[in-house]
C-alpha cells in the first residue's frame, strides 16, 4: 500500500525522474522521427503562424512568417519532393531528373507510400508512448479510460473509420509533398513557373510555362483532349487523378483543397456540435423557459431557407475583412455553424431530455453536485454518441454546400483549390471521357463521410461500457459477476 | 442546548431529528394554463425521532415519494417547514444547502436507473466525497473500498460497471453512495420494491444492520405493508397528500384508528385460506390531487362516513347507492370534455355522458348484490327508477336530477351534498390523538359524539 501512496502523490515529472529509461527511449525515437522531417515541421509551424496572422486585419508578422517558411524549405527533409523528385522528362532513351531515373509515376508513388508509412509509424510510436506511460508511469493499474481504449481496439469498423480519417488528415497535412507538382506552380501561378519536356519532333528538350502546358493537358470530355487518371500528358507530366478542365493536376488540386474543404467541414461541424450539445444539456436540465427560448430561436433559424441565407450573408459581407479571412473560409464556417446547430440540437434534444429524467441525476443533485458537472458527467456521455453520428453525416453535405456556393461565385475565392469546385466543374463531363473530374472528388467526400461516421460509431461504442465488444474481459467479468452474485445479494 | 430542549417541548414527538410542520408541495403552480396546482403534499405535519425508522405507506400517487423528495430538498416546498436538528432546511440555499445535504441522503427506488452506467462502481460511490472535498483522494478511495465492504460488496468491485451487477447488488451500491458522506438521515424511497423477494429480505437486513451501526434515522417509503411492519418503529399512512394516521407501528397495525388505515390493512392477504375475515373494498378511485374534496380527503370513498341525522335510519344498501350516484356526478365533472362534446351538448345531441335517467336506472334498479353501475339486465326499463325508495330520499334526488337535466350539474351536486352530506364533506377533520403513545388520526369519527371507526366497522363490515 505504501508504494502506491508515494506513486500516486508524486507528480508525473517525479515519476519519470525515478525511472527514466522507458521515457528516454521513447523520446529518442520521437526525436528521430521529428529529425527526418524537421524542415517540414518548421515550415508547417510558420505556415500556421502566418495563417493565424492573416486572420487579423493588419496582418501582423505575416511577411516575416512566410519568409521563415520559405527559408525552412532549405533544410533537407526525408520525404520532400527535392529528395524523391518526380518532375522530369523523357529524353528519348530514359527519364531524366526523376528519382533514380524511375518513371515519374513510380517516383511519385514511392513518395506517397513513404509519406503514409511515416505517418503510420508516428501513430504506432504514439501508441508505444501510451503503453509506456500506462506500464511505467501511471499510478493506477487501471482506469475507466483503459476500457474505452480496449473497446476501441476490438472495434474493427471504428478502426476502419479511424484509418480513413487519418488518411485524409495526412493528405491535408502533407499536401505540399504529396502532389506530383506544387499548388503554387500548377494552380496559383502557372505562368511564373516552367516545366521541361522532350519534343519528339525536334528531338530536343524545351522549356514552357506551366500555364502553357496546362492548356495542352485540359480534360474537356472528348478522348482527344482528355488526361484521365494514372496517365501522362503530352508534356511528360504524370497525373495520378488526371487533370481538371483547365488542365491543372487534379491530385495536387485535391490535396491542397483537402486543407480548406476539410477545415470548413470539420470546424463548422465541431462548432455547431458544441452549440447543439450545450443547448441540449442546458434545456434538458433546466427545462421550462430555457427550453422554450431555444425552441423558438432554433425554429426561427430552421424556418429560413438555407441557401438564401448563405447567399444573403455572402453578398452582405463580400468585400469586408470578414469575407477575406482565409479566402472566405472563416465566414463560411460562421454561417454554417449558425445554420446547422438547430438541426443537431433537435436531433439530440430528445435523448438529452430522456437522460435528464434518470434517477442518477436526482441522486447527484441530492448530494449537492454542481449542475455543470451533472451535465458533463451524467448527461453528456449519453448524448455524445448521437451527436457523433449526426455530425459525421452532415459533414459531406457541408463540403457539397461550399461547392454549390463556389458555383454561384459566393464560396471560396478561386484559384484557391476546394473540392466542391472540382465536382461542379466536372459536372458537364460526367458522361464523357472526362468522367474522373466529378467522380474522384465525389468518391473522396463519400469516403471521408464514411470514415467519420465509422469513427463516430466506434467512439460511441467505446464510451458505452455495455456495448460488450471487450471480448475477453466481458467473459471474465460475467464469470466474476456470477461469483459475486453468489456471495452477495 | 437549552434551545433544543425548548423546541423539543413544543414538538410533536420527543427528540425529533426531523420535524415537518404544515408542509405543502404543489406542482404546476404559476403556469399560464394550469389554474389548479397538483397538491402532491397538502399540509403534512409529523416528526421523526433520532435513530428511528418511520414508515410512510399509501397507495400509488398519494404523494409519499414527493414528501420524501421534499425532505431531502429535491423539491422545493410550497409552504411549511422541514426542521432538521433545529434548522429549517426549506430556507437554505447555495453553500448552506450544499453543506446540509451531507446530513440527508436518499436511496432510490429503481436500482436500474439510479446508477450511471457509464461510471464504475467506485466512481459512483466516490462522487459525493469528491463533491464535498472529503479528505485526500487516497483517503477517498480507501473510504469507498470500506463502504463497499460495509454494504456487502467486495473491494475489487470498485472497477466494475453497474451493468455487471444484479438488482440487489446495484441497490447495495446505491446504499453505499448514500452512506458515503455519513448522513444522519436517509430517505429510503421504496428501496426493495424493485427487487426479488429473496433479495428484499437481505437488503432490509442490511439496512437494519447499518442503522444499528451508524445510528441512522430512516424515512422508509413503501407500499408493501408487511415490509413496513417488519422494519419500521413508527408508521405514517398517507392518502391524497395528507397523513391520515401516524403512530407506533405495532399499535397501528394491531388496532388501526383511521378508516383508511382499516381498509388498507384489510387489503393485506392472509396466508390462511379458511380465514373468514372480510375485506373492506373501497369504491372508485382516489380523487384528483388537483381538486381534492373540500372536507376530509377520504370522504369520497370512506366506508365509515358519518351520515346526517336525518338519514341515519335508511338501510346500508340504499345509502351505498346514494354515495355511488354522488360519485358518478363528481366523476362527470372531472372528465375532460372535448370541444365536439361541448358542441353536441349545446345542440342537445347525445354525448358519451349518459343521461341522468339512465344513471338513476342503473344505480337504483340494479338488484342488490351486484355492483351498482355494472349492468342493467333484469331491470324494468320503463317506470320510475326511484320506485321503492323512501320519499325522504327520492325527493332530493329528483330535485338534483332536474338540475342535471337543465345542465346545472354543479347545483345538482350541491343539492345532494346539502341533503346527504355531513361534516365529512364540509370540514377538514382535526388530527385527533388516539392512543397513549401520541398516535394521531385524521377523522371526524374520533370526536366523542360519533362511533369510533373501529367500533363502526365492528358493527357493519365484520359482522356482516
Amino acid at each position: 500500500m505504501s508504494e502506491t501512496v508515494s506513486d500516486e502523490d508524486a507528480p508525473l515529472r517525479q515519476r519519470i525522474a525515478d525511472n527514466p529509461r522507458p521515457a528516454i527511449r521513447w523520446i529518442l525515437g520521437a526525436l528521430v522521427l521529428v529529425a527526418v522531417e524537421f524542415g517540414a515541421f518548421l515550415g508547417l509551424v510558420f505556415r500556421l503562424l502566418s495563417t493565424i496572422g492573416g486572420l487579423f486585419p493588419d496582418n501582423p508578422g505575416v511577411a516575416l512568417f512566410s519568409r521563415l517558411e520559405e527559408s525552412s524549405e532549405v533544410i533537407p527533409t526525408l520525404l520532400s519532393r527535392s529528395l524523391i523528385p518526380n518532375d522530369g522528362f523523357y529524353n528519348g532513351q530514359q527519364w531524366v531528373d526523376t528519382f533514380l531515373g524511375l518513371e515519374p509515376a513510380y517516383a511519385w508513388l514511392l513518395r506517397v507510400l513513404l509519406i503514409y508509412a511515416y505517418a503510420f509509424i508516428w501513430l504506432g510510436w504514439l501508441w508505444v508512448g501510451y503503453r509506456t506511460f500506462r506500464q511505467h508511469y501511471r499510478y493506477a493499474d487501471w482506469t475507466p479510460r483503459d476500457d474505452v481504449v480496449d473497446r476501441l481496439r476490438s472495434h474493427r469498423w471504428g478502426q476502419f473509420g479511424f484509418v480513413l480519417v487519418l488518411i485524409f488528415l495526412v493528405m491535408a497535412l502533407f499536401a505540399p509533398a504529396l502532389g506530383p507538382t506544387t499548388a503554387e506552380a500548377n494552380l496559383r501561378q502557372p505562368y511564373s513557373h516552367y516545366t521541361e519536356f522532350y519534343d519528339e519532333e525536334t528531338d530536343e528538350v524545351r522549356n514552357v510555362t506551366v500555364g502553357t502546358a496546362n492548356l495542352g493537358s485540359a480534360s474537356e470530355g472528348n478522348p482527344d483532349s482528355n488526361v484521365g487518371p494514372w496517365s501522362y500528358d503530352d508534356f511528360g507530366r504524370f497525373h495520378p487523378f488526371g487533370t481538371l478542365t483547365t488542365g491543372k493536376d487534379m491530385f495536387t488540386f485535391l490535396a491542397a483543397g483537402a486543407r480548406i474543404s476539410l477545415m470548413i467541414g470539420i470546424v463548422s461541424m465541431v462548432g455547431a456540435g458544441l452549440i447543439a450539445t450545450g443547448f441540449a444539456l442546458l434545456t434538458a436540465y433546466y427545462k421550462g423557459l430555457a427550453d422554450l427560448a431555444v425552441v423558438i430561436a432554433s425554429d426561427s433559424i430552421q424556418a429560413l431557407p438555407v441557401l438564401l441565407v448563405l447567399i444573403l450573408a455572402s453578398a452582405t459581407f463580400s468585400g469586408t475583412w470578414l469575407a477575406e479571412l482565409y479566402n472566405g473560409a472563416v465566414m463560411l464556417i460562421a454561417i454554417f455553424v449558425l445554420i446547422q446547430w438547430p438541426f443537431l440540437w433537435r436531433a439530440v434534444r430528445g435523448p438529452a431530455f430522456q437522460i435528464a429524467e434518470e434517477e442518477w441525476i436526482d441522486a447527484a443533485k441530492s448530494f449537492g453536485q454542481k449542475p455543470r458537472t451533472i451535465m458533463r458527467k451524467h448527461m453528456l456521455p449519453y448524448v455524445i454518441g448521437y451527436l457523433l453520428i449526426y455530425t459525421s453525416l452532415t459533414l459531406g453535405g457541408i463540403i457539397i454546400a461550399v461547392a454549390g456556393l463556389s458555383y454561384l461565385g459566393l464560396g471560396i475565392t478561386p484559384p484557391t483549390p476546394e473540392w466542391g469546385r472540382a465536382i461542379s466543374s466536372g459536372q458537364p463531363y460526367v458522361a464523357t471521357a472526362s468522367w474522373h473530374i466529378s467522380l474522384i472528388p465525389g468518391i473522396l467526400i463519400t469516403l471521408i463521410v464514411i470514415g467519420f461516421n465509422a469513427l463516430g460509431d466506434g467512439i460511441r461504442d467505446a464510451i458505452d461500457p455495455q456495448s460488450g465488444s471487450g471480448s475477453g474481459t466481458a467473459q471474465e467479468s460475467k464469470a466474476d459477476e456470477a461469483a459475486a452474485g453468489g456471495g452477495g445479494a | 442546548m437549552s434551545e433544543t430542549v425548548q423546541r423539543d417541548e413544543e414538538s410533536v414527538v420527543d427528540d425529533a431529528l426531523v420535524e415537518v410542520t404544515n408542509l405543502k408541495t404543489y406542482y404546476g403552480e404559476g403556469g399560464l394554463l394550469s389554474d389548479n396546482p397538483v397538491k402532491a403534499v397538502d399540509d403534512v405535519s409529523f416528526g421523526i425521532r433520532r435513530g428511528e425508522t418511520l414508515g410512510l405507506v399509501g397507495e400509488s400517487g398519494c404523494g409519499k415519494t414527493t414528501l420524501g423528495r421534499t425532505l431531502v430538498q429535491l423539491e422545493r416546498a410550497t409552504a411549511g417547514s422541514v426542521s432538521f436538528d433545529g434548522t429549517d432546511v426549506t430556507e437554505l440555499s447555495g453553500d448552506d444547502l450544499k453543506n446540509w445535504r451531507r446530513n440527508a441522503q436518499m436511496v432510490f427506488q429503481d436500482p436500474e436507473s439510479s446508477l450511471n452506467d457509464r461510471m464504475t462502481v467506485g466512481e459512483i460511490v466516490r462522487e459525493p466525497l469528491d463533491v464535498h472535498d472529503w479528505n485526500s483522494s487516497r483517503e477517498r478511495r480507501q473510504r469507498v473500498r470500506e463502504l463497499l465492504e460495509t454494504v456487502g460488496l467486495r473491494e475489487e468491485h470498485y472497477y466494475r460497471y453497474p451493468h455487471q451487477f444484479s438488482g440487489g447488488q446495484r441497490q447495495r451500491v446505491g446504499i453505499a453512495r448514500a452512506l458515503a458522506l455519513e448522513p444522519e438521515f436517509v430517505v429510503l424511497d421504496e428501496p426493495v420494491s424493485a427487487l426479488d423477494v429473496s433479495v428484499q429480505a437481505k437488503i432490509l437486513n442490511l439496512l437494519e444492520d447499518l442503522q444499528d451501526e451508524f445510528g441512522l434515522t430512516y424515512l422508509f417509503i413503501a407500499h408493501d405493508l408487511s415490509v413496513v411492519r417488519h422494519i419500521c418503529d413508527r408508521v405514517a399512512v398517507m392518502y391524497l397528500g395528507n397523513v391520515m394516521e401516524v403512530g407506533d407501528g405495532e399499535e397501528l397495525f394491531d388496532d388501526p384508528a383511521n378508516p383508511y388505515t382499516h381498509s388498507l390493512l384489510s387489503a393485506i392477504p392472509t396466508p390462511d385460506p379458511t380465514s373468514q375475515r372480510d375485506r373492506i373494498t373501497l369504491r372508485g378511485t382516489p380523487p384528483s390531487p388537483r381538486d381534492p374534496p373540500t372536507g376530509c380527503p377520504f370522504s369520497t370513498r370512506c366506508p365509515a362516513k358519518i351520515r346526517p341525522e336525518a338519514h341515519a335510519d335508511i338501510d346500508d344498501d340504499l345509502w351505498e347507492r346514494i354515495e355511488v350516484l354522488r360519485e358518478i356526478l363528481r366523476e362527470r365533472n372531472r372528465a375532460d370534455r372535448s370541444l365536439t362534446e361541448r358542441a353536441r351538448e349545446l345542440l342537445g345531441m347525445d354525448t358519451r355522458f349518459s343521461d341522468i335517467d339512465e344513471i338513476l336506472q342503473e344505480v337504483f334498479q340494479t338488484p342488490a348484490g351486484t355492483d351498482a353501475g355494472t349492468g342493467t339486465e333484469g331491470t324494468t326499463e320503463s317506470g320510475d327508477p326511484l320506485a321503492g325508495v323512501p320519499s325522504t330520499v327520492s325527493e332530493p334526488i329528483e330535485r338534483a336530477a332536474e338540475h342535471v337535466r337543465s345542465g346545472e350539474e354543479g347545483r345538482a351536486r350541491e343539492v345532494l351534498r346539502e341533503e346527504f352530506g355531513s361534516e365529512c364533506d364540509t370540514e377538514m377533520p382535526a388530527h385527533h390523538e388516539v392512543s397513549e403513545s401520541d398516535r394521531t388520526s385524521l377523522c371526524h369519527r374520533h370526536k366523542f359524539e360519533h362511533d369510533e371507526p373501529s367500533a363502526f366497522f365492528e358493527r357493519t363490515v365484520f359482522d356482516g
Side-chain angles (χ1 to χ4, degrees), chain A residues 8 142 147 358-360 362-363 366-369 377-378 381-382 463 465-466 477 480-481 484 489, chain B residues 69 105 108 110 113-118 127 131-132 138 141 157 159-161 163-164 169 172 177:
Chain A
E8 76 188 56
W142 180 94
D147 280 2
E358 295 281 358
E359 268 181 346
W360 67 72
D362 279 337
S366 79
F367 51 67
Q369 184 63 278
K377 222 171 161 181
H378 298 294
Y382 292 86
I463 59 175
Q466 292 188 63
S477 61
D480 271 350
E481 184 185 347
Chain B
R69 289 170 60 92
Q105 288 290 304
F108 292 86
D110 181 7
S113 162
S114 64
L115 307 178
N116 184 348
D117 285 310
R118 302 288 164 101
E127 200 183 354
V131 169
H132 289 272
R138 188 177 63 81
R141 269 196 289 279
H157 288 153
Y159 298 115
R160 295 284 155 72
Y161 289 95
H163 72 92
Q164 295 167 326
Q169 287 175 312
R172 284 172 194 262
R177 174 178 58 190

Side-chain angles (χ1 to χ4, degrees), chain A residues 190-480:
Chain A
Y191 289 99
S192 323
H193 292 79
Y194 293 87
T195 183
E196 286 174 318
F197 76 103
Y198 171 70
D199 193 335
E200 279 179 22
E201 286 167 25
T202 55
D203 193 19
E204 63 183 46
V205 176
R206 283 173 53 194
N207 212 352
V208 295
T209 61
V210 174
T212 319
N214 282 353
L215 286 179
S217 63
S219 296
E220 286 167 326
N222 64 53
D224 296 336
S225 59
N226 181 48
V227 180
W230 208 261
S231 60
Y232 294 88
D233 62 15
D234 297 342
F235 301 89
R237 299 182 301 174
F238 175 63
H239 299 289
F241 281 179
T243 60
L244 292 164
T245 52
T246 51
K248 293 174 176 177
D249 179 59
M250 190 150 87
F251 190 90
T252 310
F253 185 92
L254 292 180
R259 285 189 170 178
I260 201 153
S261 288
L262 289 187
M263 193 187 76
I264 292 176
I266 293 171
V267 173
S268 51
M269 284 331 293
V270 167
L274 284 178
I275 295 178
T277 323
F279 277 144
L281 295 179
L282 286 171
T283 54
Y285 186 83
Y286 290 109
K287 304 188 179 74
L289 206 59
D291 185 43
L292 189 68
V294 182
V295 165
I296 290 171
S298 92
D299 282 359
S300 316
I301 292 175
Q302 280 183 300
L304 301 170
V306 176
L307 195 63
L308 214 61
V309 176
L310 280 170
I311 294 172
L312 205 69
S314 305
T316 313
F317 290 104
S318 71
T320 65
W321 62 273
L322 189 68
E324 302 295 309
L325 289 184
Y326 209 60
N327 300 308
V330 173
M331 198 186 70
L332 283 179
I333 289 170
I335 296 173
F336 279 119
V337 167
L338 198 71
I339 288 175
Q340 287 293 331
W341 76 259
F343 292 91
L344 291 175
W345 174 70
R346 278 285 181 192
V348 295
R349 179 177 175 264
F353 266 75
Q354 215 174 338
I355 293 306
E357 291 304 313
E358 295 281 358
E359 268 181 346
W360 67 72
I361 308 282
D362 279 337
K365 282 182 196 165
S366 79
F367 51 67
Q369 184 63 278
K370 288 191 290 289
R372 198 165 1 109
T373 319
I374 292 180
M375 287 182 229
R376 182 173 49 78
K377 222 171 161 181
H378 298 294
M379 291 167 69
L380 183 63
Y382 292 86
V383 176
I384 201 87
Y386 295 90
L387 202 75
L388 284 169
I389 301 303
Y390 283 113
T391 41
S392 61
L393 285 177
T394 325
L395 189 72
I398 301 251
I399 295 175
I400 299 290
V402 175
L405 285 179
S406 303
Y407 194 67
L408 296 169
L410 297 168
I412 299 299
T413 39
T416 309
E418 184 261 310
W419 287 9
R421 191 133 33 74
I423 295 183
S424 57
S425 74
Q427 262 169 9
Y429 305 107
V430 166
T432 69
S434 304
W435 47 266
H436 62 273
I437 304 174
S438 268
L439 185 70
I440 290 176
I443 288 175
L444 293 189
I445 290 176
T446 313
L447 285 178
I448 187 124
V449 169
I450 291 175
F452 272 106
N453 205 353
L455 180 62
D457 227 12
I459 293 174
R460 185 192 59 186
D461 286 348
I463 59 175
D464 179 6
Q466 292 188 63
S467 71
S469 58
S471 49
T473 49
Q475 293 291 323
E476 188 191 318
S477 61
K478 278 240 176 58
D480 271 350

Side-chain angles (χ1 to χ4, degrees), chain B residues 72 123-124 146 209 226 242 378 402 435 441 456:
Chain B
V72 295
E123 290 177 290
I124 290 170
E146 285 165 14
D209 292 347
S226 50
N242 288 268
E402 204 49 55
S435 83
S441 166
F456 171 82

Side-chain angles (χ1 to χ4, degrees), chain B residues 138 167 244 256 461:
Chain B
R138 188 177 63 81
M244 302 303 288
V461 182

Side-chain angles (χ1 to χ4, degrees), chain A residues 105-147:
Chain A
Y106 297 117
W108 172 80
L109 193 63
L110 180 69
R111 197 168 71 225
V112 169
L113 288 178
L114 279 177
I115 286 171
Y116 275 102
Y118 176 77
F120 281 93
I121 288 171
W122 248 122
L123 186 68
W125 197 244
L126 287 176
W127 175 247
V128 170
Y130 169 73
R131 295 297 295 265
T132 311
F133 168 72
R134 198 161 145 174
Q135 201 177 334
H136 297 285
Y137 300 114
R138 199 171 61 189
Y139 66 81
D141 302 336
W142 180 94
T143 70
R145 194 78 60 218
D146 291 4
D147 280 2

